[in-house]
Amino acid sequence: MACLELCKEVKSKEGQEARTLDGSVDWHGRSAIRGKSGGWFAGIIILLNQGLATLAFFGVGVNLVLFLTRVLQQNNADAANNVSKWTGTVYIFSLVGAFLSDSYWGRYKTCAIFQVIFVAGLVSLSLSSYLFLVRPRGCGDGETLCSTPSNMEIGLFYISIYLVALGNGGYQPNICTFGADQFDEENPKEGYSKVAFFSYFYLALNLGSLFSNTILGYFEDGGMWVLGFWASAGSAFAALVLFLVGTPRYRHFKPSGNPLSRFCQVIVAAVKKWRVEMPPSAEGLYEVDGKQSSTNGCRRILHTHGFKFLDRAAFISSRDFEDRNQGVQNPWRLCAITQVEEVKCILRLLPIWLCTILYSVVFTQMASLFVEQGAAMKTTISNFRIPPASMSSFDIISVAVFIFLYRRVLDPLVSRIKKSDSKGLTELQRMGIGLIIAVMAMVSAGILECYRLKYARKDCRHCEGSSSLSIFWQIPQYAFIGASEVFMYVGQLEFFNAQTPDGLKSFGSALCMASISLGNYVSSLLVTMVMKISTEDHMPGWIPGNLNKGHLDRFYFLLAALTTIDLVIYVGCAKWYKSIKLEGRFEEKYEAEDFRV
């Protein structure tokens, strides 16, 4: 018995002292010890941080379209466009944060710095609203008009919300990847936890916004904008403190240097050797010795077929051979296979990424036109008024339900049907399903708008509450959006994190954010084009200030048609895609026969 207890103690100590195998390091730069760093302890801190930061962000974003129309007195089309541009800028800044993280600062430092900027932007927004914009107190509730702000006051407001955009944008792609860094994918148990982390991360994001969409949304809709903004600032500050508290337990990956120079080196080296006759096989191509690549300790990527022109960058010519014998190597003439494969990985990801942009056009309607549509419906039950923006809580409930259904029901069921060791639906298949459900969401919204118009008063001066159709009829379209997010955005996070090289993980997460960004800009462009075309011959247009005189339903049906076309293109791109192959790691293959939507 004593021997058994001793064996257990030794085994436990060995487990605690075991080092991670994915190259992660601790705070001091030493190889991380699995039992003393990372894991769910660090992961839960990051999930709580994400929930609080999301609460803060959506405390501003969810009702921004109403703030612009009620407080700054913009019309519906301009407000929807400005919200789309602001949201798009948030995600454009994600590329800045990803670049700084992957290249120079590392994910921890980048997250900390941008969270400080985020808090500063929210404090500035709260102060400017309190001192200048919300005058008289309680205005902007849909009944009391606010005084017209000066250009300086409007400028201060825009500086504040774009500071919020910079802080949140730079933080978002890095916190997701930093959370995934806490799990060693080379360890089977932690590798499974890493896949689960993405679902829980997206769930934390949505649960964090639930408070914003309900309680804060209710206060702001009632004219208590300053209280809502200060609550957001406090939540962001709490998130920053919590993040810093977990510092000793985090695992880190060292930044790998400027990826732009590595990409350019491959292109230039390949062009310089465009006349070289390549061997039929990959033998003779240059790779550094050892298990790890030349990219600051990142794992090597195995050679793949496709984009064969780029292989010339790794071909060792007679001149390269002479240079190496002399101890000289010109990276603009000779690149390692791993470096060449980095470029190939990004080129293969781009078509998939482009196909996700139109989905983001659909998604962004929830924060703009869905809110305006809801405001034009019956929003009262007895004497209680339901804020239109709070209807997005049904999207959050849908996300929570479908994450549970997918992880506990659908995924195990698909695995049993396949009768293999696969994990169920691939990320590409899930993203395709997300596009299908997005089409259903737009059709549902369009049909509802047809009925809303049927029960609306055409002669109303203000569109709000002018239809006798209850706002609760919006629940199906919000539920469809929530279901589509689980398949599209969670699948996207997993896909881009798994399919980007080790030195570009934050860039992979930023691609998800950038697709949302471009989706917002495309949405703004579509609204502008539709209004320009539909207002000819003195017509009110599809999305006028008074929605009862417009045809918002036609805009929804247009988005459904465009998303259907996008789905067809996406299936073709998914069949063509081939996955990254990392040395010493089993990779699921995304071949044509594996993709069945």
Side-chain angles (χ1 to χ4, degrees), residues 90-108:
V90 171
Y91 297 115
I92 282 292
F93 282 138
S94 70
L95 292 173
V96 177
F99 175 80
L100 292 172
S101 170
D102 286 335
S103 303
Y104 306 111
W105 290 352
R107 285 184 267 281
Y108 172 82

Side-chain angles (χ1 to χ4, degrees), residues 99-214:
F99 175 80
L100 292 172
S101 170
D102 286 335
S103 303
Y104 306 111
W105 290 352
R107 285 184 267 281
Y108 172 82
K109 184 177 180 181
T110 306
C111 286
I113 290 174
F114 279 102
Q115 281 188 85
V116 170
I117 296 173
F118 184 43
V119 172
L122 287 168
V123 170
S124 174
L125 175 63
S126 303
L127 286 173
S128 62
S129 299
Y130 174 74
L131 296 174
F132 306 117
L133 300 175
V134 184
R135 296 181 303 179
R137 299 295 174 218
C139 72
D141 59 355
E143 296 178 2
T144 308
L145 292 177
C146 293
S147 59
T148 303
S150 67
N151 290 335
M152 185 201 74
E153 293 165 351
I154 293 174
L156 183 59
F157 165 78
Y158 277 110
I159 289 172
S160 299
I161 63 169
Y162 277 94
L163 269 178
V164 172
L166 173 61
N168 188 262
Y171 151 85
Q172 273 297 331
N174 293 294
I175 195 65
C176 175
T177 311
F178 188 60
D181 288 346
Q182 308 311 308
F183 303 94
D184 180 5
E185 64 184 26
E186 298 289 352
N187 177 272
K189 184 178 179 181
E190 289 200 13
Y192 178 81
S193 296
K194 182 173 185 174
V195 173
F197 175 82
F198 289 106
S199 294
Y200 296 135
F201 179 86
Y202 201 76
L203 180 61
L205 187 153
N206 279 271
L207 292 178
S209 64
L210 181 61
F211 184 85
S212 302
N213 295 347
T214 52

Side-chain angles (χ1 to χ4, degrees), residues 183 232 371 409 424:
F183 303 94
S232 292
V371 177
V409 180

Side-chain angles (χ1 to χ4, degrees), residues 53-74:
T54 303
L55 187 158
F57 177 71
F58 281 101
V60 175
V62 74
N63 265 332
L64 185 59
V65 67
L66 295 183
F67 189 88
L68 293 176
T69 54
R70 294 179 182 178
V71 179
L72 298 190
Q73 302 168 26
Q74 298 179 2

Side-chain angles (χ1 to χ4, degrees), residues 253-270:
F253 283 88
K254 296 177 182 178
S256 57
N258 190 339
L260 294 178
S261 62
R262 299 201 303 272
F263 284 17
C264 292
Q265 285 169 358
V266 171
I267 302 300
V268 171

Side-chain angles (χ1 to χ4, degrees), residues 72-87:
L72 298 190
Q73 302 168 26
Q74 298 179 2
N75 62 49
N76 283 334
D78 288 341
N81 275 345
N82 284 330
V83 170
S84 292
K85 291 173 183 176
W86 177 76
T87 309

Side-chain angles (χ1 to χ4, degrees), residues 119-418:
V119 172
L122 287 168
V123 170
S124 174
L125 175 63
S126 303
L127 286 173
S128 62
S129 299
Y130 174 74
L131 296 174
F132 306 117
L133 300 175
V134 184
R135 296 181 303 179
R137 299 295 174 218
C139 72
D141 59 355
E143 296 178 2
T144 308
L145 292 177
C146 293
S147 59
T148 303
S150 67
N151 290 335
M152 185 201 74
E153 293 165 351
I154 293 174
L156 183 59
F157 165 78
Y158 277 110
I159 289 172
S160 299
I161 63 169
Y162 277 94
L163 269 178
V164 172
L166 173 61
N168 188 262
Y171 151 85
Q172 273 297 331
N174 293 294
I175 195 65
C176 175
T177 311
F178 188 60
D181 288 346
Q182 308 311 308
F183 303 94
D184 180 5
E185 64 184 26
E186 298 289 352
N187 177 272
K189 184 178 179 181
E190 289 200 13
Y192 178 81
S193 296
K194 182 173 185 174
V195 173
F197 175 82
F198 289 106
S199 294
Y200 296 135
F201 179 86
Y202 201 76
L203 180 61
L205 187 153
N206 279 271
L207 292 178
S209 64
L210 181 61
F211 184 85
S212 302
N213 295 347
T214 52
I215 307 301
L216 287 188
Y218 177 77
F219 285 143
E220 292 171 356
D221 187 66
M224 290 180 275
W225 296 99
V226 176
L227 175 63
F229 292 157
W230 275 120
S232 292
S235 180
F237 180 74
L240 174 61
V241 171
L242 183 64
F243 179 79
L244 296 176
V245 166
T247 298
R249 290 281 304 198
Y250 295 141
R251 294 177 189 170
H252 307 265
F253 283 88
K254 296 177 182 178
S256 57
N258 190 339
L260 294 178
S261 62
R262 299 201 303 272
F263 284 17
C264 292
Q265 285 169 358
V266 171
I267 302 300
V268 171
V271 170
K272 285 181 176 179
K273 299 177 183 177
W274 70 277
R275 292 183 177 179
V276 171
E277 187 173 339
M278 296 289 292
S281 65
E283 295 180 5
L285 298 182
Y286 172 65
E287 183 58 285
V288 294
D289 296 329
K291 183 180 177 180
Q292 295 183 321
S293 75
S294 57
T295 312
N296 201 8
C298 299
R299 288 169 295 179
R300 282 169 47 175
I301 309 175
L302 301 180
H303 178 264
T304 60
H305 298 290
F307 300 105
K308 290 186 177 181
F309 175 79
L310 295 176
D311 288 343
R312 298 173 185 274
F315 179 77
I316 304 176
S317 66
S318 57
R319 177 176 171 180
D320 296 326
F321 189 77
E322 292 175 2
D323 289 344
R324 291 185 66 197
N325 286 337
Q326 297 173 7
V328 178
Q329 182 179 325
N330 184 356
W332 296 92
R333 281 196 57 85
L334 181 63
C335 305
I337 293 175
T338 293
Q339 189 175 342
V340 173
E341 289 297 323
E342 276 190 345
V343 179
K344 289 185 182 181
C345 286
I346 301 305
L347 292 178
R348 289 192 180 105
L349 287 173
L350 285 179
I352 301 292
W353 174 71
L354 289 171
C355 289
T356 65
I357 293 173
L358 200 59
Y359 172 82
S360 297
V361 175
V362 172
F363 176 74
T364 194
Q365 305 313 313
M366 191 169 59
S368 54
L369 292 181
F370 278 20
V371 177
E372 293 181 10
Q373 182 187 36
M377 302 175 74
K378 182 183 178 182
T379 59
T380 56
I381 299 177
S382 187
N383 293 325
F384 181 77
R385 184 177 182 276
I386 302 165
S390 69
M391 289 300 292
S392 58
S393 58
F394 289 101
D395 163 77
I396 298 165
I397 294 171
S398 177
V399 167
V401 169
F402 273 91
I403 282 179
F404 174 81
L405 289 176
Y406 174 74
R407 293 201 57 81
R408 300 299 179 185
V409 180
L410 182 59
D411 202 41
L413 179 63
V414 172
S415 296
R416 284 199 295 270
I417 291 174
K418 284 185 172 183

